[in-house]
Amino acid sequence: MLDHGPSTVTELARRLGLTQAAVRRHLDALVADDVVAPHAQRVYGARTRGRPAKVFALTDCGRDAFDQSYDSLAVDALRWIEQHAGGEAAVAAFARDRMAAQAEGYRAQVEAAPPEDRAEALARALSADGYAATARTAPVGRQLCQHHCPVAHVAERYPQLCEAETEVFSRLLGTHVQRLATIAHGDGVCTTYIPDGGPPPPQTSPQSTPASASARPSASARTAGRNPA
């Protein structure tokens, strides 16, 4: 379908060397998984008798299974902004604006939760956006962990994305937060420390910390996304 476009069962059976019954079984499974979707075949010219044949086409989910160039496109766009529209400051402004717009979708859910439950509410909101986030107890605070980052490859080149995200977390939660680790710079998970008013947790060496909670302390949100030297 990627090579030939929307196709009928007959066309697929001929190209694949399968029976139409076998093709239909495969298509039923792909439709159930939202990989392909059926459509009425568009008819050009005079329409013949009977209903138009049904064609099957890839959905957005199906196309995502193939290699995409979104990361390269995003890096190229940010490079252009950096070179022609104000340097690193322009990239940072773009990152802050992007995250501010994204945060509006989280604000109601976070603010509806009691202060002690807002880290969990933010984790749920992030998970709905594909970040696979969790919140758990840490010494005198909470840890917000993002086990997936949809923009990790872009953030590796432009850590301003991580910095803007950290600033947004701080505003949503109403407290200073500290980014400890990021997937973009080689850590197993993006980890953000949310204090509950006490001193920050004791620092531990990477060797003694599980990969799922690896923490490399940074001084502030300005160093978010950058591994300390």
Side-chain angles (χ1 to χ4, degrees), residues 48-182:
T48 59
R49 287 186 177 183
R51 291 182 301 175
K54 186 181 293 184
V55 296
F56 293 83
L58 287 171
T59 63
D60 289 341
C61 178
R63 291 183 183 279
D64 285 344
F66 297 91
D67 290 336
Q68 304 282 2
S69 298
Y70 299 142
D71 287 348
S72 296
L73 177 62
V75 170
D76 288 345
L78 289 175
R79 183 183 298 115
W80 191 95
I81 291 173
E82 183 178 29
Q83 293 175 353
H84 301 284
E88 291 188 2
V91 174
F94 166 82
R96 286 194 296 270
D97 187 71
R98 173 185 176 275
M99 279 305 306
Q102 187 173 333
E104 285 307 306
Y106 306 155
R107 187 175 305 282
Q109 187 171 346
V110 172
E111 292 182 351
E116 64 272 16
D117 294 334
R118 287 184 175 178
E120 287 80 1
L122 179 55
R124 289 192 296 271
L126 288 166
S127 292
D129 263 355
Y131 288 87
T134 58
R136 63 185 182 185
T137 302
V140 292
R142 305 285 288 166
Q143 272 193 353
L144 178 68
C145 298
Q146 296 157 261
H147 302 274
H148 176 65
C149 176
V151 297
H153 295 302
V154 183
E156 183 177 356
R157 172 65 179 82
Y158 290 101
Q160 292 95 329
L161 296 174
C162 299
E163 295 165 6
E165 183 180 74
T166 306
E167 293 168 5
V168 160
F169 288 174
S170 179
R171 288 197 297 273
L172 286 173
L173 297 170
T175 184
H176 169 74
V177 302
Q178 189 175 29
R179 180 58 61 89
L180 302 178
T182 64

Side-chain angles (χ1 to χ4, degrees), residues 4-54:
H4 299 277
S7 304
T8 65
V9 170
T10 301
E11 291 167 341
L12 291 168
R14 184 177 65 250
R15 288 200 298 262
L16 297 171
L18 298 173
T19 66
Q20 292 189 26
V23 168
R24 290 184 188 279
R25 286 196 296 272
H26 286 296
L27 287 172
D28 287 344
L30 293 171
V31 169
D33 290 339
D34 193 32
V35 175
V36 303
H39 304 278
Q41 187 175 36
R42 183 173 296 178
V43 177
Y44 298 93
R47 176 172 292 182
T48 59
R49 287 186 177 183
R51 291 182 301 175
K54 186 181 293 184

